[in-house]
Every structure is written in C-alpha cells, then in structure tokens.
Coordinates of all heavy atoms in Angstrom, one line a residue:
Q275 N -180.3 -2.0 90.8 CA -180.7 -0.8 90.1 C -182.0 -1.0 89.3 O -182.9 -0.1 89.4 CB -179.5 -0.4 89.1 CG -179.9 0.8 88.3 CD -179.0 0.8 87.0 OE1 -179.3 1.6 86.1 NE2 -178.1 -0.1 86.8
P276 N -182.1 -2.1 88.5 CA -183.4 -2.1 87.7 C -184.6 -2.3 88.6 O -185.7 -1.8 88.2 CB -183.2 -3.4 86.8 CG -182.0 -4.1 87.4 CD -181.2 -3.1 88.1
L277 N -184.5 -3.0 89.7 CA -185.6 -3.1 90.6 C -186.0 -1.7 91.2 O -187.2 -1.4 91.3 CB -185.3 -4.0 91.8 CG -184.9 -5.5 91.4 CD1 -184.5 -6.2 92.7 CD2 -186.1 -6.1 90.8
I278 N -185.0 -0.9 91.6 CA -185.2 0.4 92.1 C -185.9 1.3 91.1 O -186.8 2.0 91.4 CB -183.9 1.0 92.6 CG1 -183.3 0.2 93.8 CG2 -184.1 2.5 93.1 CD1 -181.9 0.6 94.1
R279 N -185.4 1.2 89.8 CA -186.0 2.0 88.8 C -187.4 1.7 88.5 O -188.3 2.5 88.3 CB -185.2 1.9 87.5 CG -183.8 2.5 87.5 CD -183.1 2.5 86.1 NE -181.8 3.0 86.2 CZ -181.4 4.3 86.2 NH1 -182.4 5.2 86.1 NH2 -180.2 4.7 86.2
H280 N -187.7 0.4 88.6 CA -189.1 -0.1 88.5 C -190.0 0.5 89.6 O -191.1 1.0 89.3 CB -189.2 -1.6 88.5 CG -190.5 -2.2 88.4 ND1 -191.3 -2.2 87.3 CD2 -191.3 -2.6 89.4 CE1 -192.5 -2.7 87.6 NE2 -192.5 -3.0 88.9
L281 N -189.5 0.4 90.8 CA -190.2 1.0 91.9 C -190.5 2.5 91.8 O -191.6 3.0 92.0 CB -189.5 0.7 93.2 CG -189.4 -0.7 93.7 CD1 -188.4 -0.9 94.8 CD2 -190.8 -1.2 94.2
L282 N -189.5 3.2 91.3 CA -189.6 4.6 91.1 C -190.7 4.9 90.0 O -191.5 5.9 90.1 CB -188.3 5.3 90.7 CG -187.2 5.2 91.8 CD1 -185.9 5.7 91.3 CD2 -187.6 6.1 93.0
R283 N -190.7 4.1 89.0 CA -191.7 4.3 87.9 C -193.1 4.0 88.4 O -194.1 4.6 88.0 CB -191.4 3.3 86.7 CG -190.2 3.8 85.8 CD -190.2 3.0 84.5 NE -189.9 1.6 84.7 CZ -188.7 1.1 84.7 NH1 -187.6 1.9 84.6 NH2 -188.5 -0.2 84.9
R284 N -193.2 3.1 89.5 CA -194.5 2.9 90.1 C -194.8 4.0 91.1 O -195.8 3.9 91.8 CB -194.4 1.6 90.9 CG -194.6 0.3 90.1 CD -194.8 -0.9 91.0 NE -195.9 -0.7 91.9 CZ -196.7 -1.7 92.4 NH1 -196.5 -2.9 92.0 NH2 -197.6 -1.4 93.3
E285 N -194.0 5.0 91.2 CA -194.2 6.1 92.1 C -194.1 5.7 93.5 O -194.8 6.3 94.4 CB -195.5 6.9 91.8 CG -195.6 7.5 90.4 CD -196.8 8.3 90.1 OE1 -197.7 8.3 91.0 OE2 -196.8 9.0 89.1
C286 N -193.3 4.7 93.8 CA -192.9 4.3 95.2 C -191.7 5.2 95.6 O -190.8 5.3 94.8 CB -192.6 2.8 95.2 SG -194.0 1.7 95.0
S287 N -191.8 5.6 96.8 CA -190.6 6.2 97.4 C -189.6 5.1 97.9 O -190.1 4.1 98.5 CB -190.9 7.2 98.5 OG -191.7 6.6 99.5
V288 N -188.3 5.3 97.7 CA -187.4 4.2 98.0 C -186.2 4.7 98.8 O -185.7 5.8 98.6 CB -186.8 3.7 96.7 CG1 -185.8 2.5 96.9 CG2 -187.9 3.2 95.7
L289 N -185.9 3.9 99.9 CA -184.7 4.1 100.7 C -183.7 3.0 100.3 O -184.1 1.8 100.3 CB -185.0 4.1 102.2 CG -183.8 3.9 103.1 CD1 -182.9 5.1 103.1 CD2 -184.2 3.4 104.5
V290 N -182.5 3.3 100.0 CA -181.5 2.3 99.8 C -180.4 2.5 100.9 O -179.9 3.6 101.1 CB -180.8 2.5 98.4 CG1 -179.7 1.4 98.2 CG2 -181.9 2.5 97.3
T291 N -180.1 1.4 101.5 CA -179.0 1.4 102.5 C -177.8 0.6 101.9 O -178.0 -0.4 101.2 CB -179.4 0.7 103.8 OG1 -179.9 -0.6 103.6 CG2 -180.4 1.6 104.5
T292 N -176.6 1.1 102.1 CA -175.4 0.4 101.8 C -174.5 0.3 103.0 O -174.6 1.2 103.9 CB -174.7 1.0 100.6 OG1 -174.2 2.3 101.0 CG2 -175.6 1.2 99.4
T293 N -173.6 -0.6 103.0 CA -172.6 -0.7 104.0 C -171.3 0.1 103.7 O -170.7 0.6 104.6 CB -172.2 -2.2 104.3 OG1 -173.4 -3.0 104.6 CG2 -171.2 -2.4 105.4
T294 N -171.0 0.2 102.4 CA -169.8 0.8 102.1 C -170.0 2.2 101.4 O -171.0 2.4 100.7 CB -169.0 -0.1 101.1 OG1 -169.7 -0.2 99.8 CG2 -168.8 -1.5 101.7
P295 N -169.1 3.1 101.5 CA -169.1 4.4 100.8 C -169.1 4.2 99.2 O -169.7 4.9 98.5 CB -167.9 5.1 101.2 CG -167.6 4.6 102.6 CD -167.9 3.1 102.5
T296 N -168.4 3.1 98.8 CA -168.3 2.9 97.3 C -169.7 2.5 96.8 O -170.1 2.9 95.7 CB -167.3 1.8 97.0 OG1 -167.6 0.6 97.8 CG2 -165.9 2.2 97.3
G297 N -170.4 1.7 97.6 CA -171.8 1.4 97.2 C -172.7 2.7 97.2 O -173.5 2.9 96.3
A298 N -172.5 3.6 98.1 CA -173.2 4.9 98.1 C -172.9 5.7 96.9 O -173.8 6.3 96.3 CB -172.9 5.7 99.4
R299 N -171.6 5.8 96.5 CA -171.2 6.5 95.4 C -171.8 5.9 94.1 O -172.2 6.6 93.2 CB -169.7 6.6 95.3 CG -169.0 7.6 96.3 CD -167.6 8.0 95.8 NE -166.7 6.8 95.8 CZ -166.0 6.4 96.9 NH1 -166.1 7.1 98.1 NH2 -165.2 5.4 96.8
R300 N -171.8 4.6 94.0 CA -172.3 4.0 92.8 C -173.8 4.2 92.7 O -174.3 4.5 91.6 CB -172.1 2.4 92.9 CG -172.4 1.7 91.6 CD -171.6 2.2 90.4 NE -171.9 1.6 89.2 CZ -171.9 2.2 88.0 NH1 -171.6 3.5 87.9 NH2 -172.2 1.6 86.9
L301 N -174.5 4.2 93.8 CA -175.9 4.5 93.8 C -176.2 6.0 93.3 O -177.1 6.2 92.4 CB -176.5 4.4 95.2 CG -178.0 4.7 95.3 CD1 -178.9 3.7 94.6 CD2 -178.4 4.9 96.8
D302 N -175.3 6.9 93.7 CA -175.5 8.3 93.3 C -175.2 8.4 91.8 O -175.8 9.1 91.1 CB -174.6 9.2 94.1 CG -174.8 10.6 93.8 OD1 -175.9 11.1 94.0 OD2 -173.9 11.3 93.4
D303 N -174.1 7.7 91.3 CA -173.8 7.7 89.9 C -175.0 7.2 89.1 O -175.2 7.7 88.0 CB -172.6 6.8 89.6 CG -171.3 7.4 90.2 OD1 -171.3 8.6 90.5 OD2 -170.3 6.6 90.4
L304 N -175.6 6.1 89.5 CA -176.7 5.5 88.8 C -178.0 6.2 88.8 O -178.7 6.3 87.8 CB -176.9 4.0 89.2 CG -175.8 3.1 89.0 CD1 -176.0 1.8 89.7 CD2 -175.6 2.8 87.5
L305 N -178.3 6.7 90.0 CA -179.7 7.3 90.2 C -179.7 8.7 90.7 O -180.8 9.3 90.9 CB -180.5 6.4 91.2 CG -180.7 5.0 90.8 CD1 -181.3 4.1 91.9 CD2 -181.7 4.9 89.6
G306 N -178.6 9.3 90.9 CA -178.6 10.7 91.5 C -179.3 10.7 92.8 O -179.2 9.8 93.7
G307 N -180.2 11.6 93.0 CA -181.0 11.7 94.2 C -182.4 11.1 94.1 O -183.2 11.3 95.0
A308 N -182.6 10.3 93.1 CA -184.0 9.7 92.9 C -184.4 8.8 94.1 O -185.5 8.6 94.4 CB -184.0 9.0 91.6
A309 N -183.4 8.1 94.7 CA -183.6 7.3 95.8 C -182.9 7.8 97.0 O -181.7 8.2 96.9 CB -183.2 5.8 95.6
Q310 N -183.5 7.8 98.2 CA -182.9 8.2 99.4 C -181.8 7.2 99.8 O -182.0 6.0 99.7 CB -183.9 8.3 100.5 CG -183.5 8.9 101.8 CD -184.6 8.9 102.9 OE1 -184.5 9.4 104.0 NE2 -185.8 8.4 102.5
H311 N -180.7 7.7 100.4 CA -179.6 6.8 100.8 C -179.3 7.0 102.3 O -179.2 8.1 102.8 CB -178.3 7.0 100.0 CG -177.2 6.2 100.6 ND1 -176.3 6.7 101.5 CD2 -176.8 4.9 100.4 CE1 -175.4 5.8 101.8 NE2 -175.7 4.7 101.2
L312 N -179.1 5.9 103.0 CA -178.5 5.9 104.4 C -177.5 4.8 104.5 O -177.6 3.8 103.7 CB -179.6 5.6 105.4 CG -180.7 6.7 105.6 CD1 -181.8 6.2 106.6 CD2 -180.1 8.0 106.1
Y313 N -176.6 4.9 105.4 CA -175.7 3.8 105.7 C -176.4 2.8 106.6 O -177.3 3.1 107.4 CB -174.4 4.3 106.4 CG -173.4 4.9 105.4 CD1 -173.1 6.2 105.5 CD2 -172.9 4.1 104.4 CE1 -172.2 6.8 104.6 CE2 -172.0 4.7 103.5 CZ -171.7 6.0 103.6 OH -170.8 6.5 102.7
T314 N -176.1 1.5 106.3 CA -176.7 0.4 107.0 C -176.6 0.5 108.5 O -175.4 0.6 109.0 CB -176.1 -0.9 106.5 OG1 -176.1 -0.9 105.0 CG2 -177.0 -2.1 107.0
P315 N -177.6 0.4 109.2 CA -177.5 0.4 110.7 C -177.0 -1.0 111.2 O -177.2 -2.0 110.6 CB -179.0 0.6 111.2 CG -179.8 0.1 110.1 CD -179.1 0.3 108.8
F316 N -176.3 -0.9 112.3 CA -175.9 -2.2 113.0 C -177.1 -2.9 113.4 O -178.2 -2.3 113.8 CB -175.0 -1.9 114.2 CG -173.7 -1.3 113.8 CD1 -173.3 0.0 114.3 CD2 -172.8 -1.9 112.9 CE1 -172.1 0.6 114.0 CE2 -171.6 -1.3 112.6 CZ -171.2 -0.1 113.1
D317 N -177.0 -4.2 113.4 CA -178.2 -5.1 113.7 C -178.5 -5.3 115.1 O -178.5 -6.4 115.7 CB -178.0 -6.4 113.0 CG -179.3 -7.3 113.0 OD1 -180.4 -6.7 112.9 OD2 -179.2 -8.5 113.0
L318 N -178.7 -4.2 115.8 CA -179.2 -4.2 117.2 C -180.6 -3.7 117.2 O -181.0 -2.8 116.5 CB -178.3 -3.4 118.1 CG -177.0 -4.0 118.4 CD1 -176.0 -2.9 119.0 CD2 -177.1 -5.1 119.4
S319 N -181.5 -4.3 118.1 CA -182.9 -4.0 118.0 C -183.2 -2.5 118.2 O -184.0 -2.0 117.4 CB -183.6 -4.8 119.1 OG -183.5 -6.2 118.9
W320 N -182.6 -1.9 119.1 CA -182.9 -0.5 119.4 C -182.5 0.4 118.2 O -183.2 1.4 117.9 CB -182.3 0.1 120.7 CG -180.8 0.1 120.7 CD1 -179.9 -0.9 121.0 CD2 -179.9 1.2 120.3 NE1 -178.6 -0.5 120.9 CE2 -178.6 0.8 120.5 CE3 -180.2 2.5 119.9 CZ2 -177.5 1.6 120.3 CZ3 -179.1 3.4 119.7 CH2 -177.8 2.9 119.9
I321 N -181.4 0.0 117.5 CA -181.0 0.8 116.3 C -182.0 0.5 115.2 O -182.4 1.5 114.5 CB -179.6 0.4 115.9 CG1 -178.6 0.7 117.0 CG2 -179.2 1.1 114.6 CD1 -177.2 0.3 116.7
M322 N -182.4 -0.7 115.0 CA -183.3 -1.0 113.9 C -184.7 -0.3 114.2 O -185.3 0.2 113.2 CB -183.5 -2.5 113.8 CG -182.4 -3.3 113.1 SD -182.3 -2.7 111.4 CE -180.7 -3.5 111.0

C-alpha cells in the first residue's frame, strides 16, 4: 500500500494484480479506484 500511494503521488498509473478476491477487496478498501485491479494471470507465455 505505501509503495502504491507513493507511485500515485508521482502521477504514475498503477495496475495491481491479486490472486485472491480478499486481496482485491482489501485493495478497494485501502485505495478505492485509485489503482486499477486485475486478477493474476496464470503463468503461461501466451497469457502473459
């Protein structure tokens, strides 16, 4: 969270990926929509 807030203050756009829905909910609780969220892709080359 503090790293993401620092990046946002630098006016960097940020994507955060999480594996779990609880991680996604916590991100929303902490930052609202300030950072974009996606679920973590499986580690296959074509998906990445």
Side-chain angles (χ1 to χ4, degrees):
Q275 177 205 173
L277 298 176
I278 298 168
R279 290 190 185 278
H280 175 79
L281 290 167
L282 294 171
R283 285 194 295 270
R284 280 192 53 149
E285 298 186 349
C286 292
S287 53
V288 179
L289 165 70
V290 181
T291 56
T292 67
T293 303
T294 67
T296 53
R299 285 199 296 272
R300 188 61 182 146
L301 178 69
D302 188 58
D303 289 343
L304 292 170
L305 295 170
Q310 184 181 187
H311 172 266
L312 293 173
Y313 281 115
T314 309
F316 295 122
D317 190 33
L318 285 164
S319 293
W320 65 273
I321 298 176
M322 284 296 169

